[in-house]
């Protein structure tokens, strides 16, 4: 009888903001936005929890986001940094299984089927990763 599949979905909320905060600790605790530019048609690509608390969300125009959260620090996207961070998370997940698939913007899937003898239950692996 085949083993039931154990697929872990690992997601880092506001990946771009989390990566920026890992690089620059002074951003922690502040509302942070990653936006497509600085102009009136710029769009919020990611918002920190602090900014979301003020009603800012992904897809909102930057001027509207700044009206709702005037203290927000606005950052430009850094795709190279995000790619390196995604690679680091993938490498961490690959310690538990070679079957890792990065998904969109801070999401990852890892197939933990059959790894329980080495690492314990999938839920325990997820807890340790978190």
């Amino acid at each position: 009888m085949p083993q039931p599949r154990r697929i872990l979905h690992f997601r880092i909320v506001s990946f771009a903001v989390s990566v920026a905060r890992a690089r620059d600790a002074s951003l922690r605790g502040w509302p942070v936005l990653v936006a497509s530019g600085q102009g009136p048609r710029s769009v919020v690509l990611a918002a920190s929890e602090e900014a979301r608390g003020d009603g800012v969300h992904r897809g909102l125009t930057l001027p509207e986001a700044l009206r709702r959260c005037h203290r927000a620090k606005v950052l430009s996207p850094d795709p190279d940094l995000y790619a390196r961070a995604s690679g680091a998370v993938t490498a961490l997940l690959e310690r538990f299984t070679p079957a890792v698939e990065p998904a969109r913007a801070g999401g990852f899937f890892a197939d933990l089927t059959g790894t329980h003898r080495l690492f314990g239950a999938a839920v325990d692996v997820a807890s340790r990763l978190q």
Side-chain angles (χ1 to χ4, degrees):
M1 186 162 121
Q3 281 186 325
R5 306 295 291 180
R6 299 286 185 231
I7 307 295
L8 169 69
H9 177 234
F10 187 79
R11 182 171 177 260
I12 300 171
V13 178
S14 296
F15 184 70
V17 172
S18 297
V19 170
R21 285 178 168 173
R23 183 170 64 170
D24 182 357
S26 71
L27 296 172
R28 293 181 185 148
W30 283 94
V32 177
L33 306 175
V34 176
S36 61
Q38 298 292 324
R41 297 182 75 133
S42 298
V43 175
V44 173
L45 303 173
S48 68
E49 184 177 337
E50 296 84 359
R52 287 192 309 271
D54 286 340
V56 177
H57 54 83
R58 186 172 176 230
L60 198 63
T61 63
L62 184 59
E64 178 61 26
L66 292 174
R67 274 193 288 282
R68 294 181 186 193
C69 185
H70 63 278
R71 300 180 322 124
K73 297 185 181 209
V74 180
L75 306 176
S76 296
D78 188 343
D80 293 335
L81 179 63
Y82 307 150
R84 288 194 312 270
S86 180
V89 173
T90 299
L92 175 67
L93 290 167
E94 285 176 341
R95 292 181 187 174
F96 296 94
T97 178
V100 176
E101 185 177 321
R104 195 184 122 196
F108 302 85
F109 292 95
D111 186 350
L112 299 175
T113 304
T115 64
H116 64 281
R117 287 188 181 175
L118 292 171
F119 305 114
V123 68
D124 294 334
V125 171
S127 179
R128 286 197 304 269
L129 284 167
Q130 188 175 19

